[in-house]
Amino acid sequence: MLLVLLSLAALCWGAVPPEPTIQCGSEPGPSPEWMVRHTLTPGDLRDLRVEPIKSSVDLEDSSILMNISWILRADASIRLLKATKICVMGKSHFQSRSCIRCNYTQAFHTQTRPSGGKWTFSYIGFPVELNTVYFIGAHNIPNANMNEDGPSMAVNFTSPGCLDHLMKYKKKCIEAGSLWKPNITACKKTANTVEVNFTTSPLGDRYMALIQNTSVIGTSYVSEKELTRTSVVVHVTGESEGAVVQLTPYFHTCGNDCIRQRGTVMRCPQTGVSPQDHERSVLGGWLPLLLSALLVATWVLVAGIYLIWRHERIKKTSFSTTTLLPSLKVLVVYPSEICFHHIVCYFTEFLQNRCRSEVILEKWQKKKIAEMGPVQWLTTQKQAADKVIFLLSNDNTMCDGTCDKKEGGPCENSQDLFHLAFNLFCSDLRSQTHLRKYVVVYFREGDIKDSYSALSVCPTYRLMKDATDFCAELLHAKQHVSVGRRSRARHYSCLSL
Ligand SMILES: *[C@@H]1O[C@H](CO)[C@@H](O)[C@H](O)[C@H]1NC(C)=O
Ligand SMILES: *[C@@H]1O[C@H](CO)[C@@H](O)[C@H](O)[C@H]1NC(C)=O
Ligand SMILES: *[C@@H]1O[C@H](CO)[C@@H](O)[C@H](O)[C@H]1NC(C)=O
Ligand SMILES: *[C@@H]1O[C@H](CO)[C@@H](O)[C@H](O)[C@H]1NC(C)=O
Ligand SMILES: *[C@@H]1O[C@H](CO)[C@@H](O)[C@H](O)[C@H]1NC(C)=O
Ligand SMILES: *[C@@H]1O[C@H](CO)[C@@H](O)[C@H](O)[C@H]1NC(C)=O
């Protein structure tokens, strides 16, 4: 009896078909079902989702993949369903498109899973690149007939940049410093110095430490080949406690476009009489206490006199630097392919801090340009400026990865202004005196592009290689500016944009 029951159960068990699973493979072209006419076709998907995941196989650069999951609609047409086709189109510098087809290993006999719940599948594949918009489309097979609108579903997915917790493991991000932990500590040493300590990286040997509260109040460069904890003192021109310290590395593969790190300037720990010393002096009786009190009093007196004296001196020197150095006005124009935040900001800070110049940028005068019109604005600024700098770069891909695309990305409309400035320059070509105003600055190695070849008559500098010569050229122009002609240069900060 028991045996009969058991075999019956086994029979029933065997009658239940196994659940469908998927088998996926690449199918770049149209599906073979496309060529055949179908009177009945399955409906569309109920849901389609995409999320990036880190693949367990460490394939270096393709380690971030898409997990594409979809839910089938629970209706009668599910019986006709044979496969689902998914195509992914990526759009960054170039377009890419690839498709996979996932065959269901069994026909669907029920609209939902035998265990309840909707039929859900997921496919892991399609490597995810940095800062790319992906359009993911899916449709069921057999698909609708030719010239008929088939049901399909599409979603968008925008991949993040190197700061993302998953993307930071991509090779390109690692090379830009995504895994570098400088562990910055900074403290206000005196009224006008800040001590910055950080751990260097094996990726490069040059760094810039910059202190800013609302504007940049000090910068300093560090060269350190060894992998070590390094210390640098930055001279500042304002209140530094609570200010931001930004560390810009210049690594071999990312140049000026590496990932920057930030920290906060604290108050330096006071080195004074510790409680232990105090206790000992109390225990030691009256005489030592009296003596030490006397000593402290003298020390305080001396320190006070010294502080007052130094304060006076600082007041004098800072007064003299602001009045003696005339500010030089420079107008900076750049083509739209230059990444604003990384290149133009860096360059502006360099001009303001290292060459003591007042910088005129289209970006900061949007309202004025709108009022005056670009031609009028440019002509006025060109006349007012001591130098007009064409900031160029040969590398159009430098904005990839770590650049902030939202604000000041490469697609900004600075192209028109750059062309206008270039045309103005061309009309000045005949006059030597006018030509002296123009300077070309390059951020990467290379020759001037053919379209701007007229600029080759101007003095050309490459940063940071020719930084000293470049500043000297500006200083030379500065000598012709009479002292006190101008009010103090206003310092703009890229942070406040
Ligand atoms: C899926 O089915 C189609 C048509 O039967 C076949 O051409 C294709 O090779 C199958 N793909 C996979 C990955 O099994
Ligand atoms: C892929 O996504 C699906 C649906 O969200 C989830 O069930 C599955 O576990 C994910 N796979 C991996 C490997 O994370
Ligand atoms: C995807 O993005 C494009 C452009 O941003 C937009 O036009 C489209 O409606 C989006 N599609 C979906 C399904 O979100
Ligand atoms: C960072 O530096 C401080 C001071 O040198 C040290 O105490 C701390 O342990 C360091 N943290 C890490 C994560 O290395
Ligand atoms: C920097 O390092 C020096 C030497 O190790 C140390 O004396 C100083 O306190 C450190 N400063 C900060 C701000 O961490
Ligand atoms: C920033 O520095 C300026 C210039 O010294 C100072 O006047 C201002 O109080 C500082 N701001 C903050 C928030 O510390």
Side-chain angles (χ1 to χ4, degrees):
M1 186 62 193
L2 193 72
L3 210 75
V4 174
L5 263 177
L6 264 178
S7 53
L8 239 162
L11 243 164
C12 285
W13 188 255
V16 174
E19 283 193 15
T21 57
I22 48 169
Q23 268 177 355
C24 304
S26 159
E27 190 184 68
S31 313
E33 286 83 355
W34 189 252
M35 316 295 170
V36 190
R37 221 189 139 73
H38 303 277
T39 41
L40 291 169
T41 54
D44 64 344
L45 299 172
R46 191 188 140 84
D47 196 16
L48 179 67
R49 275 163 208 239
V50 180
E51 60 173 13
I53 59 161
K54 190 170 184 291
S55 102
S56 44
V57 201
D58 222 337
L59 271 171
E60 275 284 295
D61 214 23
S62 55
S63 56
I64 312 294
L65 300 175
M66 284 183 200
N67 178 7
I68 302 178
S69 55
W70 64 96
I71 301 175
L72 299 179
R73 211 172 265 289
D75 62 24
S77 76
I78 200 170
R79 287 165 192 279
L80 304 164
L81 182 61
K82 278 195 192 153
T84 296
K85 183 156 178 167
I86 300 164
C87 289
V88 172
M89 195 178 81
K91 216 171 172 184
S92 56
H93 295 301
F94 53 89
Q95 278 198 4
S96 63
R97 187 186 137 93
S98 50
C99 298
I100 53 120
R101 172 197 173 113
C102 293
N103 290 344
Y104 297 103
T105 52
Q106 314 286 329
F108 290 90
H109 296 292
T110 55
Q111 293 178 13
T112 54
R113 276 176 190 280
S115 54
K118 305 223 158 48
W119 289 106
T120 304
F121 298 93
S122 66
Y123 168 79
I124 290 166
F126 300 111
V128 178
E129 296 306 323
L130 293 161
N131 294 320
T132 305
V133 183
Y134 290 100
F135 302 90
I136 298 112
H139 66 82
N140 284 332
I141 289 175
N143 35 343
N145 298 308
M146 257 184 247
N147 307 323
E148 280 174 25
D149 259 347
S152 69
M153 188 165 234
V155 289
N156 288 353
F157 165 65
T158 305
S159 62
C162 282
L163 299 182
D164 180 73
H165 70 290
L166 279 178
M167 301 304 266
K168 70 179 179 189
Y169 293 107
K170 281 187 87 77
K171 187 159 166 260
K172 197 168 173 194
C173 296
I174 294 174
E175 284 173 352
S178 62
L179 300 185
W180 174 47
K181 290 210 173 57
N183 189 10
I184 303 170
T185 52
C187 73
K188 177 182 172 181
K189 243 190 150 168
T190 64
N192 59 350
T193 56
V194 169
E195 182 181 50
V196 180
N197 289 5
F198 64 94
T199 309
T200 55
S201 162
L203 296 166
D205 52 22
R206 225 157 43 81
Y207 307 84
M208 178 178 71
L210 180 150
I211 315 286
Q212 52 190 4
N213 63 4
T214 49
S215 61
V216 178
I217 54 174
T219 47
S220 191
Y221 289 80
V222 184
S223 279
E224 180 59 69
K225 284 196 169 51
E226 302 296 315
L227 183 62
T228 171
R229 188 126 185 106
T230 186
S231 186
V232 59
V233 172
V234 185
H235 291 268
V236 291
T237 55
E239 175 53 48
S240 58
E241 198 182 324
V244 171
V245 47
Q246 179 182 276
L247 199 58
T248 307
Y250 300 95
F251 295 150
H252 303 306
T253 50
C254 50
N256 296 301
D257 198 22
C258 307
I259 296 170
R260 290 144 190 228
Q261 308 266 351
R262 278 162 182 246
T264 309
V265 180
M266 312 295 235
R267 191 196 296 256
C268 281
Q270 294 296 315
T271 44
V273 185
S274 75
Q276 243 179 11
D277 293 342
H278 181 70
E279 215 166 275
R280 210 176 293 139
S281 66
V282 169
L283 288 173
W286 283 101
L287 194 67
L289 183 69
L290 207 70
L291 271 176
S292 52
L294 251 166
L295 214 73
V296 167
T298 355
W299 184 81
V300 165
L301 205 72
V302 168
I305 290 167
Y306 170 74
L307 275 176
I308 289 165
W309 169 75
R310 217 189 38 173
H311 188 69
E312 286 300 309
R313 214 180 56 153
I314 287 162
K315 255 185 18 200
K316 254 181 232 156
T317 47
S318 60
F319 178 73
S320 60
T321 48
T322 49
T323 47
L324 277 183
L325 277 174
S327 67
L328 180 83
K329 256 193 179 165
V330 289
L331 171 64
V332 179
V333 287
Y334 54 96
S336 63
E337 63 261 22
I338 288 198
C339 172
F340 183 81
H341 264 98
H342 286 73
I343 304 300
V344 185
C345 281
Y346 167 79
F347 183 59
T348 307
E349 279 161 7
F350 173 82
L351 283 174
Q352 289 182 154
N353 293 311
R354 292 271 292 258
C355 312
R356 293 229 164 237
S357 302
E358 183 181 344
V359 180
I360 310 165
L361 269 191
E362 147 259 37
K363 187 98 183 164
W364 291 329
Q365 304 210 350
K366 286 251 158 84
K367 208 171 136 216
K368 229 176 178 176
I369 298 174
E371 282 166 13
M372 297 173 80
V375 178
Q376 184 63 36
W377 180 83
L378 200 63
T379 319
T380 315
Q381 296 308 326
K382 196 201 88 178
Q383 254 147 27
D386 300 300
K387 287 278 174 192
V388 178
I389 299 177
F390 283 96
L391 182 61
L392 298 177
S393 159
N394 272 319
D395 192 351
N396 294 353
T397 61
M398 70 173 66
C399 265
D400 183 54
T402 50
C403 185
D404 187 353
K405 287 259 155 62
K406 292 192 296 286
E407 164 84 24
C411 309
E412 284 287 313
N413 196 17
S414 57
Q415 191 67 24
D416 294 344
L417 217 86
F418 181 81
H419 278 305
L420 274 178
F422 183 67
N423 287 340
L424 272 182
F425 160 80
C426 289
S427 63
D428 279 346
L429 263 176
R430 255 166 281 148
S431 153
Q432 270 307 317
T433 36
H434 283 159
L435 263 186
R436 242 176 253 141
K437 252 194 189 174
Y438 296 96
V439 181
V440 175
V441 170
Y442 257 98
F443 247 86
R444 300 250 161 132
E445 305 278 326
D447 302 316
I448 290 174
K449 275 187 199 148
D450 282 346
S451 40
Y452 310 131
S453 60
L455 289 175
S456 55
V457 300
C458 305
T460 303
Y461 298 95
R462 274 158 308 164
L463 285 183
M464 294 298 295
K465 219 171 174 181
D466 305 330
T468 329
D469 294 344
F470 169 69
C471 255
E473 159 102 26
L474 288 191
L475 280 167
H476 181 70
K478 210 177 268 192
Q479 280 163 9
H480 300 290
V481 181
S482 62
V483 174
R485 197 184 91 196
R486 296 214 169 88
S487 60
R488 271 187 63 196
R490 179 159 170 218
H491 267 221
Y492 285 93
S493 163
C494 287
L495 270 191
S496 57
L497 281 175

